[in-house]
């Protein structure tokens, strides 16, 4: 009887153990499946970011808008409620700190939320012609030092979609297959859109178009048009009366027949100019805040960009009365226009710091975006020709130059060459293009292969250099003054190659 009871107890124990083991195994399996099947929650800043992300994520996540539909994105500031909602998300996708100027401050408060910048690694156009260095120190407030409107060029929209895709895959690898397939399908549609823009604008008779604000610079650049804005990067900027008079004259002389405005922004100035010149108003949608009505009606980034293309064609197909001449060179000191009497002596202290050569960044392709921009902006050389030109200019084996108040150290690999230097005067050079330059001469007081040194930083009076071109050798100052093709260039060592590329394009 005892043996029977023991056997029954043993069997019951094994049965219970089996149930526990099965339950544990099932629980672990379910946890794994739930993790894989869990829907992602992704918040996006404003409409284009929402549309790009939604097409990548598909049905594996919920994508929402932070900036309410129909809202002017330039003026938006998130509320405490908005930030609290964002804190519960898996990821946040935005365009650029130069558009969503509130992002850098907000990111500091986020915990366990993946932040994805769609324009990461993309060099931006300067936001205005009078680039203010002091504004670069902070992104607080509504800073528009650089133009953030990349999405309005289908060519660049593709790059933003690729960046969002790659970052989503990087942070949520379990959805790689879905993200890759969805992005490929969407990029195919964007590529077709880009090809339509290229084909329909390739033979534009009238390349100039007037816009309410400077939102279409990338579109104009990538499709060989010229945007003439009434206001600046922000639609809130009010133009000077002289600007309105200038544009009125331009419209009358060229025969421009449309002025483009935005439905979601104050169009008073555009309407005033249209009335004064007797031309029509047409919508050119910057897609910063597609309305709920538009989205319910089935409008998308691609459909609106097609509408924008058709609106542009109405201007480009009309032969202008008069071709606009090239804008005159801005004759500033930094561009090489000055009087001899304004040139002052400078000391080595103007160049104090630790400086890195930019030559390695040219060789590794970091500056390729800059050369592409230069080709499109100047139309003087191809990107490849620009790269060859700068390769010859930047060529050097001096990796770094460390400068103190009265001494310089040239670093070549693991070798260092140091000496004290004394000021040896200045020389004004006249160039074929009509502009001029100033070189500041220094000579070593000790034995060094870098006995003679000349600085050029586009300045003509005492001031701290932000970067410089330098000429050096051991023959003579005169020999260096004859050198025009090789000008090794140096930026502070704490700047990344990307930051240098951005600075180069801005100036």
């Amino acid at each position: 009887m005892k043996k029977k009871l023991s056997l029954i107890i043993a069997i019951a124990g094994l049965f219970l153990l089996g149930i526990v083991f099965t339950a544990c195994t099932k629980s672990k399996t379910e946890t794994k499946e739930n993790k894989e099947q869990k829907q992602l929650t992704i918040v996006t800043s404003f409409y284009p970011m929402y549309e790009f992300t939604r097409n990548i994520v598909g049905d594996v996540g919920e994508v929402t808008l932070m900036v309410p539909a129909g809202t002017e994105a330039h003026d938006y500031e998130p509320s405490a409620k908005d930030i609290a909602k964002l804190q519960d998300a898996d990821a946040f996708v935005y365009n650029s700190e130069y558009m969503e100027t509130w992002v850098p401050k907000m990111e500091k408060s986020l915990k366990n939320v993946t932040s994805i910048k769609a324009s990461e690694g993309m060099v931006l156009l300067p936001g205005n012609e009078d680039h203010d260095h002091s504004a670069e120190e902070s992104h607080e407030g509504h800073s528009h030092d650089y133009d953030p409107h990349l999405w309005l060029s289908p060519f660049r929209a593709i790059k933003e979609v690729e960046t969002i895709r790659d970052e989503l895959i990087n942070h949520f690898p379990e959805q790689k297959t879905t993200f890759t397939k969805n992005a490929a399908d969407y990029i195919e549609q964007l590529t077709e859109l880009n090809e339509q823009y290229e084909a329909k604008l390739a033979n534009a008779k009238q390349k100039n178009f007037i816009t309410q604000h400077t939102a279409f610079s990338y579109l104009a650049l990538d499709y060989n048009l010229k945007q003439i804005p009434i206001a600046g990067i922000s639609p809130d900027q009010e133009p000077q009366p002289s600007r309105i008079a200038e544009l009125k004259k331009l419209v009358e002389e060229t025969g421009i027949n449309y002025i483009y405005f935005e439905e979601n922004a104050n169009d008073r100035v555009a309407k005033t100019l249209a009335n004064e010149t007797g031309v029509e108003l047409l919508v050119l949608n910057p897609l910063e805040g597609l309305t709920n009505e538009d989205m319910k009606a089935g409008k998308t980034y691609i459909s609106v960009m097609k509408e924008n293309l058709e609106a542009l064609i109405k201007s480009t197909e009309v032969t202008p009365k008069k071709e606009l001449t090239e804008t005159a060179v801005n004759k500033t000191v930094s561009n090489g226009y000055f009087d001899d009497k304004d040139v002052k002596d400078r000391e080595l202290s103007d160049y104090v710091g630790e400086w890195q050569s930019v030559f390695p960044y040219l060789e590794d392709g970091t500056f390729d975006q800059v050369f592409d921009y230069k080709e499109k902006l100047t139309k003087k050389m191809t990107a490849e020709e620009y790269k060859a030109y700068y390769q010859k200019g930047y060529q050097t084996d001096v990796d770094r130059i460390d400068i103190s108040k009265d001494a310089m150290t040239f670093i070549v690999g693991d070798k260092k060459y140091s000496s004290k230097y004394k000021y040896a005067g200045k020389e004004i050079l006249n160039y074929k293009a009509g502009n001029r330059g100033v070189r500041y001469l220094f000579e070593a007081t000790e034995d060094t292969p870098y006995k003679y040194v000349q600085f050029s930083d586009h300045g003509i009076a005492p001031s701290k250099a932000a970067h410089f071109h330098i000429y050096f050798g051991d023959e003579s100052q005169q020999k260096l003054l004859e050198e025009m093709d090789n000008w090794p260039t140096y930026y502070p060592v704490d700047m990344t190659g990307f930051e240098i590329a951005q600075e180069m394009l801005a100036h």
Side-chain angles (χ1 to χ4, degrees), residues 435-462:
N435 59 335
R436 315 166 84 199
V438 180
R439 293 201 198 167
Y440 290 92
L441 287 51
F442 294 86
E443 292 183 9
T445 60
E446 302 163 61
D447 186 33
T448 174
Y450 306 96
K451 181 173 178 59
Y452 302 101
V453 173
Q454 297 176 4
F455 288 95
S456 172
D457 66 339
H458 309 290
I460 62 172

Side-chain angles (χ1 to χ4, degrees), residues 97-98 101 104-105 108 132-146:
E97 66 272 28
Y98 296 104
T101 53
K105 184 177 179 181
K108 294 175 184 177
D132 180 7
H133 285 275
S134 62
E136 293 169 19
E137 300 302 321
S138 171
H139 298 317
E140 293 184 2
H142 287 82
S143 166
H144 292 293
D145 298 322
Y146 298 103

Side-chain angles (χ1 to χ4, degrees), residues 161-175:
V161 169
E162 290 172 340
T163 298
I164 297 169
R165 174 201 64 195
D166 293 345
E167 285 301 302
L168 286 172
I169 289 173
N170 182 40
H171 290 94
F172 309 105
E174 66 276 8
Q175 300 295 352

Side-chain angles (χ1 to χ4, degrees), residues 11 71 164 266 301 326 366 382 395 401 418 443 467 478:
I11 292 170
T71 302
I164 297 169
N266 188 338
Y301 170 85
E326 287 293 317
T366 300
T382 65
Q395 176 77 49
I401 303 176
S418 300
E443 292 183 9
H467 72 276
Q478 184 54 44

Side-chain angles (χ1 to χ4, degrees), residues 15-81:
F15 178 71
L16 288 170
L17 186 63
I19 292 173
V20 171
F21 180 75
T22 302
C24 289
T25 304
K26 185 178 179 183
S27 177
K28 286 181 181 178
T29 304
E30 285 178 346
T31 300
K32 184 179 179 183
E33 287 176 354
N34 288 340
K35 186 177 179 182
E36 289 179 351
Q37 293 173 2
K38 175 184 175 289
Q39 266 221 333
L40 295 171
T41 302
I42 301 174
V43 176
T44 60
S45 57
F46 67 113
Y47 178 74
M49 300 303 103
Y50 165 79
E51 180 74 354
F52 295 167
T53 306
R54 184 179 67 84
N55 276 279
I56 298 168
V57 172
D59 58 7
V60 300
E62 180 188 8
V63 180
T64 59
L65 261 172
M66 192 169 189
V67 179
T71 302
E72 170 49 56
H74 286 271
D75 298 332
Y76 173 78
E77 288 288 346
S79 66
K81 186 178 179 181

